[in-house]
């Protein structure tokens, strides 16, 4: 049965069923899944090219009322360690990023009800109109709560943010799209379907982005497939996911159970993502989380992108690359041709 499923994955227009995906996840050898994914990757993306980008993450506030059990970054509003960056501080971070070759900013923070709507629009306008960078920003839960705090529909907020300069949104806060797991992760976060609906609304407004999965806790194989199915169905509706990233939980607190994920387990899910998500064009390997050696193997297991060099990372430990030169050398050493793309892969056909 496994051989027949893997054989069919390379057929034109073949789509794995949830049952077939679960069978591969539970019972197939990781090398067999990786080999099939590599064939599919090269069939869908002819050529031997691997993309990367250069952006800076700017965590504009660490105040957050969502308080995820696995997060050590957030602080309560009255904490002496709480902060909200000023426009000048964000401007300075952007100047530093541009000096290192980055031309894109990734805005992400906590859910902070004390931030006025004008702060977000002023930041977006400053970054895009004054600093000349493109901006990806605001996880689904941030967007939903900002809209609620300002008593407006989500769609109206998206119009305001897009007019101010926002050009894409991340698929952050997905973790595991299973309501059982989300209750363990963070009961205050969006339920699985609302997460999907929020991203679909963004995509329909012309704000595309990415999706991800974070695994390595007490999730079941069935919940991993449920997650992939949520992403695939959302993509069928709104067509805004440009890429999919596989992450693992990192130890940050003692409030959330995590387990060690082996390299083979990571590569298997990375490869399965390529096979299952037939409507998502790009699969990114997580160098930041998994390191360079495993990342290089991932490029032969279905992935075609290494995401970004890391100029600043406040939430996770960085195991990745920090300069454009390092990114290009890494891709070349792995046996591929590097090309620099933007956050939405809109310039992916332009070589470096």
């Amino acid at each position: 049965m496994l051989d027949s499923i893997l054989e069919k994955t390379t057929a034109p227009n073949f789509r794995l069923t949830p049952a077939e995906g679960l069978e591969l996840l539970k019972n197939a050898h990781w090398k067999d899944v990786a080999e099939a994914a590599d064939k599919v990757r090269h069939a869908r993306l002819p050529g031997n090219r691997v993309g990367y980008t250069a952006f800076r993450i700017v965590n504009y506030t660490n105040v957050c009322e969502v308080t995820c059990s696995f997060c050590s970054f957030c602080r309560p509003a009255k904490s002496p360690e709480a902060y909200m960056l000023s426009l000048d501080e964000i401007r300075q971070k952007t100047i530093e990023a541009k000096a290192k070759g980055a031309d894109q900013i990734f805005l992400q923070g906590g859910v902070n009800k004390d931030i006025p709507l004008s702060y977000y629009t002023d930041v977006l306008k400053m970054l895009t109109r004054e600093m000349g960078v493109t901006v990806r920003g605001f996880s689904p839960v941030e967007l939903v709560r900002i809209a609620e705090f300002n008593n407006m529909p989500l769609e109206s907020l998206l119009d305001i943010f897009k007019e101010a300069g926002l050009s894409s949104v991340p698929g952050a806060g997905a973790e595991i799209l299973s309501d059982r797991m989300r209750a363990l992760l963070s009961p205050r976060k969006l339920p699985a379907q609302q997460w999907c609906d929020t991203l679909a609304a963004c995509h329909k407004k012309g704000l595309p982005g990415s999706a991800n999965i974070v695994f390595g806790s007490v999730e079941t194989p069935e919940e991993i497939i449920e997650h992939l199915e949520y992403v695939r169905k959302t993509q069928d509706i709104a067509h805004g996911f440009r890429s999919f990233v596989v992450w693992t939980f990192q130890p940050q607190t003692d409030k959330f159970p995590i387990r060690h994920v082996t390299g083979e387990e990571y590569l298997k899910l990375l490869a399965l993502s390529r096979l299952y998500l037939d409507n998502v064009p790009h699969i990114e390997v997580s160098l930041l989380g998994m390191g360079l050696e495993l990342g290089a193997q991932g490029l032969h297991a279905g992935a075609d992108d290494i995401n970004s060099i890391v100029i600043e990372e406040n939430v996770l430990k960085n195991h990745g690359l920090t300069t454009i030169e390092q990114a290009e050398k890494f891709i070349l050493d792995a046996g591929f041709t590097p090309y620099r793309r933007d956050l939405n892969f809109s310039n992916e056909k332009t070589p470096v």
Side-chain angles (χ1 to χ4, degrees):
M1 181 179 180
L2 288 171
D3 288 344
S4 65
I5 295 173
L6 287 168
E7 237 179 86
K8 287 189 290 186
T9 59
T10 58
N13 303 317
F14 174 76
R15 171 166 279 195
L16 284 173
T17 66
E20 290 169 332
L22 185 62
E23 180 70 17
L24 293 180
L25 182 61
K26 292 176 73 171
N27 298 316
H29 194 283
W30 76 270
K31 286 186 178 179
D32 293 334
V33 183
E35 183 180 344
D38 190 50
K39 289 179 182 177
V40 170
R41 170 259 205 268
H42 284 288
R44 293 181 187 166
L45 302 167
N48 206 40
R49 302 166 69 242
V50 167
Y52 74 93
T53 189
F55 62 81
R56 180 170 193 164
I57 298 172
V58 174
N59 299 120
Y60 59 90
T61 183
N62 65 347
V63 175
C64 187
E65 63 179 46
V66 175
T67 58
C68 300
S69 61
F70 60 89
C71 179
S72 61
F73 175 69
C74 71
R75 296 291 184 272
K78 294 183 179 179
S79 167
E81 297 177 323
Y83 74 81
M84 185 180 81
L85 296 179
S86 67
L87 262 66
D88 283 341
E89 288 172 315
I90 295 175
R91 182 183 289 109
Q92 185 57 42
K93 286 179 178 289
T94 306
I95 291 170
E96 293 167 2
K98 292 180 73 172
K100 295 182 179 182
D103 56 0
Q104 300 162 100
I105 294 296
F106 186 169
L107 281 177
Q108 191 162 261
V111 174
N112 184 347
K113 68 179 186 308
D114 295 325
I115 298 180
L117 184 61
S118 59
Y119 172 86
Y120 298 105
T121 54
D122 287 347
V123 168
L124 288 169
K125 290 174 183 177
M126 181 268 290
L127 288 172
T128 57
R129 301 175 191 180
E130 176 189 333
M131 304 302 297
V133 296
T134 57
V135 181
R136 168 171 291 183
F138 314 118
S139 64
V141 70
E142 288 172 84
L143 292 170
V144 168
R145 299 294 180 249
I146 293 169
E148 290 175 354
F149 296 153
N150 289 278
N151 298 310
M152 65 173 64
L154 174 65
E155 288 76 10
S156 298
L157 178 72
L158 297 177
D159 287 337
I160 291 169
F161 278 5
K162 187 176 180 182
E163 193 280 330
L166 186 67
S167 58
S168 65
V169 292
E175 285 85 44
I176 294 289
L177 294 173
S178 147
D179 286 335
R180 181 191 76 88
M181 280 299 298
R182 297 182 80 71
L184 293 173
L185 288 161
S186 177
R188 297 181 184 178
K189 240 174 187 176
L190 304 182
Q193 188 59 59
Q194 189 179 13
W195 184 93
C196 294
D197 293 343
T198 303
L199 267 299
C202 293
H203 299 167
K204 289 175 181 178
K205 287 288 187 180
L207 295 168
S210 59
N212 61 49
I213 186 171
V214 190
F215 77 115
S217 180
V218 294
E219 74 284 339
T220 65
E222 289 79 6
E223 285 171 320
I224 288 176
I225 298 302
E226 181 183 4
H227 180 106
L228 295 179
E229 184 69 5
Y230 266 120
V231 172
R232 193 168 69 178
K233 285 182 175 179
T234 303
Q235 183 73 338
D236 280 341
I237 293 168
H239 316 291
F241 291 130
R242 299 287 190 257
S243 64
F244 185 81
V245 194
V246 180
W247 299 82
T248 59
F249 286 107
Q250 291 190 11
Q252 296 186 56
T253 76
D254 58 3
K255 301 174 184 177
F256 181 72
I258 65 169
R259 60 180 173 81
H260 173 67
V261 173
T262 67
E264 294 177 356
E265 185 182 0
Y266 177 80
L267 291 170
K268 186 176 185 179
L269 183 52
L270 183 77
L272 181 61
S273 299
R274 169 65 74 184
L275 299 178
Y276 201 92
L277 300 174
D278 51 43
N279 53 4
V280 178
H282 299 282
I283 302 295
E284 301 177 25
V285 69
S286 170
L287 294 188
L288 183 152
M290 305 311 297
L292 303 184
E293 183 177 348
L294 200 59
Q297 293 182 61
L299 294 177
H300 297 276
D304 66 287
D305 194 88
I306 65 168
N307 201 288
S308 177
I309 64 170
V310 179
I311 296 175
E312 177 180 1
E313 173 55 55
N314 296 313
V315 180
L316 301 174
K317 183 178 179 181
N318 175 27
H319 299 285
L321 305 166
T322 58
T323 69
I324 291 170
E325 292 74 20
Q326 288 175 352
E328 294 191 351
K329 184 178 185 303
F330 171 81
I331 293 170
L332 287 166
D333 289 347
F336 298 89
T337 301
Y339 75 95
R340 180 169 171 176
R341 48 89 177 176
D342 64 19
L343 286 167
N344 294 328
F345 293 88
S346 59
N347 65 340
E348 63 183 281
K349 294 182 180 179
T350 305
V352 184

